[in-house]
Amino acid sequence: MAVTATLPETMVPRPYLVDRVTADVSDTFTLVLKPQYGTEQFAFRPGQFNMLYLYGVGEVPISISGDPNDPQRLVHTVRALGTVTAAMQKLKRGSVVGVRGPFGSSWPIDQAEGADIVIIAGGVGLAPLRPAIYAILARRERYGRFVILYGARSPKDILFSRQLERWRSRLDTFVDVTVDRATGAWHGNVGVVTGLIGHGGFDADHTVAMICGPELMIRYGVLTLIDRGVRTNNIYVSMERNMKCAVGFCGHCQWGGNFVCRDGPVFSFDQIADIFQVREL
Amino acid sequence: MKPAGSTDPLPAIIDKGGLQVLIDALIGGGFTVIAPRLTDGVIALDTITSVDHLPAGATDEQEAGYYRVHDGGGGRLFDYATTPQGWKRYLYPPEERLWQAKREGAGFAIVEERAPVPRYAFLGVRACDLRAIGILDAVFDHGRSAEPRYVARRDQALIIGVNCTRAGSTCFCTSMGTGPAVGTGADLVLTEFGDDAAPALLVEARSPAGRKVFARLGGRQAAAEDIEAADAAVAKAATMVTRHMATDAAAILKRNLEHREWAKVAQRCLGCANCTLVCPTCFCGSVEDTTDLTGATAARWRRWDSCFTSDFSYIHGGSIRRSGASRYRQWMTHKLSHWWQQFGSSGCVGCGRCITWCPVGIDITEQVRRIKDSEGGPH
Ligand SMILES: Cc1cc2nc3c(=O)[nH]c(=O)nc-3n(C[C@H](O)[C@H](O)[C@H](O)COP(=O)(O)OP(=O)(O)OC[C@H]3O[C@@H](n4cnc5c(N)ncnc54)[C@H](O)[C@@H]3O)c2cc1C
Ligand code: SF4
Ligand code: SF4
Ligand code: FES
């Protein structure tokens, strides 16, 4: 009898229907997806990502930006930058997207219990951190201080601005936002987000920091936190590399000895301290 | 020679005719037999059906950036070193369609490829290449996920190793601990020895599948002198190895990611990707999504890729590895250093192909030595 081989679920996209599209800021939009067939829930850990496939166009890694306690809705926030993501911007309710995942490591939500939490995000980097924010707020009493620092290019590029306002209005959460370029009626901070580190206060010895954004911002963020006494094993970053398979076969996502698709995308700084400063690695 | 396990029969001695019996038995058993074959002046792997397809009397001459086949005139069937490419392409094809999808309304339905998995018998697998297959096994079946196509082809494959009795000048298996004697993983192992015009083949069975084929071989039982002569021929090959890899290559590279030698070698390296193409363990691949002209069907293709291309590390805003130096560093540190972190072994088996087939003759053993000899001390 002839032997055939069946590809595992991790290698074949499953069709999902676009349930809702929201334009967040000019080039960024959020897709709410649900399975085209069946009622399967999408369980994931904050910080994980999916490979999103557009029929015949291509496939890209996109973090999950929804609430881990609401697995009925699979939520992704995408910035339109190139071929695949620009085509995704044209999706409408009822369109179909292929989904493989979830993949990768996650933010240390459980390990961080008892500690102060500092979240530092730049641009669309807030999206992969939003599930962590939801998870922490869902059991807020288990953490110390909770600080969210966010940087955007300009006031009109502030992602999830209404949510940021809502979180800011909570007495148990400190939110501060900065922009690179002030426009119009902006009276807030101007400058890089790493300049906000320290706002809201934290007990450096008992702080877990989570950073996502442009790589340069991550670098400054880590150095500033170390400077302020945060332990290197308590600093977590989420990294981006080219990804073709997401399951450790294609080699594209390598960063030193790591496969970012399975050892990352979330790394504790300790894991990567020896390669972090090496350029073009 | 490896001591025969308690269930392994004593080795047998066969001649060319006996090898034809083996080939016939394999074909009769449903195997496609792949073996070295002289094609266009190169001893390359190909499908064979007869012992006459093996390159009798041929030897090869390999040097950095140099390869020639010579007709030695004798009757030896395995008197050369590595073929330009290893066995990787049979287990992990250079180009493969993973699935197709049919448009269905607003969506699509996946149509999985259902091609039967080929059943290969690899005849003439060298020690280094067998180790390379072992390394690919760890890559494509790493506990967290397994690539079922690779695994199925691998499970079905029968491996007939050949102990090297002549080492090529670019070989450095001895310092990698991979050869010239065939290690674990072969079903049958051959050693060619004795008279140049009509050499004998010592056959060992090393697995249940190997013993099944062995039982049909005939020949005569090997005598103590045969085993001694075969052992001596393999030991001689070990003494012919002239190149050596520094034993602490992994650590040397790990602490020298910023060494100036990377920029120097980049001035010679053409970025042609030959080294990654011929390497029996390089596994990187790319994925391409396509549609037919009507858009009715789409497909996902996987193709071999190389870390020497600048697209390889592309992310929005530009490639991570923009310079040739960073790409050469990626290839070499991955092979010799980062592989340990990923798979618990070196990614290099010392086959020497990347040295032979580099158009400018860059030598991976020499590159490590240059870094080692000019280290600024431990950082
Ligand atoms: C783990 C991970 C999580 C991500 N999460 C998000 C997210 O939540 N929201 C979001 O908007 N973006 C996210 N990105 C970035 C997103 O994958 C890229 O913007 C996207 O791949 C660009 O594809 P494109 O075809 O539109 O662009 P093009 O510029 O046309 O890119 C061509 C190809 O290069 C590769 N590529 C380009 N940029 C990147 C990149 N930054 N990372 C990986 N591959 C890239 C892709 O294969 C892409 O198809 C994430 C990336 C990674 C690795
Ligand atoms: S790096 Fe060179 S010598 Fe080592 S296995 Fe690959 S091709 Fe052979
Ligand atoms: S074969 Fe030689 S020239 Fe070509 S990419 Fe490899 S090292 Fe560079
Ligand atoms: S994306 Fe293919 S190995 Fe990580």
Side-chain angles (χ1 to χ4, degrees):
Chain A
M1 202 189 70
V3 172
T4 57
T6 307
L7 294 176
E9 224 181 33
T10 50
M11 291 179 71
V12 186
R14 304 189 294 283
Y16 273 65
L17 283 175
V18 176
D19 196 33
R20 198 149 60 88
V21 190
T22 342
D24 296 309
V25 295
S26 63
D27 56 359
T28 305
F29 53 96
T30 293
L31 302 171
V32 179
L33 307 174
K34 57 177 198 199
Q36 185 173 17
Y37 308 106
T39 52
E40 153 206 12
Q41 302 207 335
F42 202 98
F44 70 98
R45 287 174 283 121
Q48 289 193 297
F49 68 95
N50 282 323
M51 296 299 281
L52 297 189
Y53 169 67
L54 269 194
Y55 179 86
V57 180
E59 194 183 48
V60 289
I62 302 289
S63 302
I64 303 167
S65 67
D67 185 346
N69 293 316
D70 181 9
Q72 307 286 355
R73 294 155 16 108
L74 174 58
V75 183
H76 285 284
T77 302
V78 186
R79 185 168 168 215
L81 285 175
T83 319
V84 180
T85 50
M88 280 180 178
Q89 201 171 18
K90 302 199 180 88
L91 293 173
K92 296 192 171 57
R93 185 184 159 89
S95 303
V96 177
V97 177
V99 177
R100 295 194 287 134
F103 298 115
S105 61
S106 52
W107 301 111
I109 304 301
D110 297 336
Q111 301 94 296
E113 283 189 10
D116 288 356
I117 308 287
V118 178
I119 281 182
I120 305 166
V124 74
L126 184 57
L129 278 162
R130 191 167 67 165
I133 296 173
Y134 285 130
I136 289 164
L137 288 177
R139 40 184 195 174
R140 179 65 191 86
E141 68 289 352
R142 301 198 200 176
Y143 301 89
R145 260 173 290 198
F146 186 27
V147 175
I148 301 170
L149 307 176
Y150 178 61
R153 279 169 299 178
S154 74
K156 68 172 175 28
D157 292 310
I158 296 173
L159 189 62
F160 309 144
S161 53
R162 281 214 300 281
Q163 259 178 322
L164 282 166
E165 276 161 26
R166 221 174 309 135
W167 295 331
R168 195 211 296 261
S169 67
R170 290 174 67 125
L171 295 175
D172 59 4
T173 304
F174 178 90
V175 177
D176 210 355
V177 177
T178 183
V179 296
D180 295 337
R181 277 172 286 107
T183 49
W186 180 256
H187 295 298
N189 303 298
V190 177
V192 292
V193 64
T194 49
L196 302 182
I197 294 174
H199 291 199
F202 56 80
D203 172 4
D205 249 359
H206 301 98
T207 290
V208 171
M210 308 178 199
I211 317 179
C212 186
E215 209 161 314
L216 202 63
M217 180 219 112
I218 295 180
R219 277 169 206 277
Y220 280 114
V222 169
L223 296 178
T224 312
L225 290 164
I226 293 174
D227 238 27
R228 293 194 166 244
V230 179
R231 294 182 191 173
T232 51
N233 61 338
N234 281 335
I235 301 174
Y236 290 81
V237 303
S238 182
M239 299 298 292
E240 274 183 22
R241 283 294 181 272
N242 187 299
M243 291 185 180
K244 295 293 177 204
C245 75
V247 285
F249 297 144
C250 78
H252 275 260
C253 67
Q254 288 179 87
W255 181 33
N258 302 295
F259 289 103
V260 175
C261 70
R262 61 181 166 106
D263 304 319
V266 177
F267 294 96
S268 88
F269 184 71
D270 265 10
Q271 283 175 277
I272 51 165
D274 55 338
I275 57 170
F276 187 69
Q277 298 288 6
V278 183
R279 286 167 54 195
E280 293 191 65
L281 192 63
Chain B
M1 198 129 312
K2 288 189 72 91
S6 55
T7 49
D8 287 340
L10 285 170
I13 301 293
I14 59 170
D15 58 9
K16 210 172 155 181
L19 199 53
Q20 184 65 53
V21 173
L22 172 63
I23 293 168
D24 290 341
L26 293 170
I27 293 171
F31 287 102
T32 301
V33 182
I34 311 294
R37 187 171 184 173
L38 191 60
T39 330
D40 300 331
V42 169
I43 304 169
L45 298 178
D46 201 354
T47 305
I48 66 153
T49 52
S50 159
V51 71
D52 294 327
H53 293 147
L54 294 170
T59 59
D60 58 4
E61 188 185 353
Q62 302 197 27
E63 239 322 318
Y66 184 88
Y67 177 94
R68 290 288 181 284
V69 173
H70 302 293
D71 184 2
R76 288 183 190 275
L77 302 173
F78 299 103
D79 202 20
Y80 39 86
T82 50
T83 48
Q85 295 218 343
W87 307 83
K88 176 174 80 177
R89 61 191 305 107
Y90 295 99
L91 298 170
Y92 167 42
E95 178 177 82
E96 186 174 6
R97 192 165 61 198
L98 292 180
W99 46 257
Q100 283 181 277
K102 277 206 298 259
R103 190 183 276 292
E104 252 186 31
F108 59 87
I110 299 283
V111 189
E112 245 203 78
E113 296 294 322
R114 281 287 173 189
V117 177
R119 197 155 180 238
Y120 292 121
F122 295 156
L123 171 59
V125 179
R126 304 292 172 158
C128 58
D129 278 348
L130 180 61
R131 182 63 204 118
I133 293 173
I135 287 175
L136 286 182
D137 291 349
V139 169
F140 288 117
D141 189 359
H142 55 58
R144 283 197 261 183
S145 46
E147 210 296 320
R149 302 267 177 87
Y150 176 93
V151 173
R153 291 186 197 107
R154 179 72 177 92
D155 283 349
Q156 297 228 92
L158 190 91
I159 293 182
I160 301 148
V162 173
N163 285 318
C164 287
T165 50
R166 197 176 73 82
S169 106
T170 52
C171 299
F172 56 101
C173 58
T174 48
S175 54
M176 300 309 291
T178 56
V182 171
T184 50
D187 297 296
L188 291 169
V189 179
L190 310 176
T191 314
E192 194 171 41
F193 70 102
D195 184 39
D196 216 27
L201 289 163
L202 181 108
V203 192
E204 298 164 79
R206 293 233 189 122
S207 75
R211 283 193 287 278
K212 253 171 78 181
V213 187
F214 184 87
R216 303 180 48 187
L217 276 188
R220 65 171 170 85
Q221 203 172 43
E225 307 88 80
D226 297 319
I227 296 175
E228 241 169 64
D231 279 352
V234 181
K236 193 186 96 207
T239 66
M240 292 170 77
V241 173
T242 53
R243 280 182 157 85
H244 302 280
M245 176 61 78
T247 45
D248 48 348
I252 294 169
L253 298 189
K254 199 173 163 66
R255 60 175 184 258
N256 283 293
L257 293 174
E258 312 264 27
H259 197 283
R260 63 185 177 283
E261 183 57 34
W262 301 119
K264 278 201 199 162
V265 69
Q267 289 178 354
R268 289 194 290 149
C269 173
L270 311 173
C272 66
N274 266 15
C275 49
T276 56
L277 276 170
V278 296
C279 180
T281 67
C282 272
F283 61 84
C284 288
S286 190
V287 156
E288 199 187 323
D289 287 305
T290 59
T291 43
D292 65 7
L293 287 176
T294 65
T297 56
R300 173 158 303 167
W301 290 87
R302 177 171 65 192
R303 295 190 177 88
W304 288 2
D305 201 355
S306 170
C307 53
F308 277 96
T309 69
S310 61
D311 279 2
F312 189 86
S313 63
Y314 176 82
I315 65 172
H316 177 74
S319 295
I320 304 268
R321 298 182 203 107
R322 273 182 291 264
S323 66
S326 68
R327 298 201 282 272
Y328 187 88
R329 177 180 66 186
Q330 171 60 23
W331 134 256
M332 196 161 128
T333 54
H334 185 212
K335 290 278 105 157
L336 295 170
S337 180
H338 294 140
W339 212 288
W340 285 96
Q341 181 182 333
Q342 296 171 345
F343 304 109
S345 78
S346 172
C348 173
V349 298
C351 72
R353 288 185 176 93
C354 56
I355 306 173
T356 300
W357 295 98
C358 175
V360 295
I362 295 172
D363 175 345
I364 189 170
T365 64
E366 174 66 23
Q367 284 311 119
V368 172
R369 206 166 310 114
R370 283 190 195 187
I371 289 176
K372 184 177 180 163
D373 292 348
S374 56
E375 262 189 297
H379 304 254

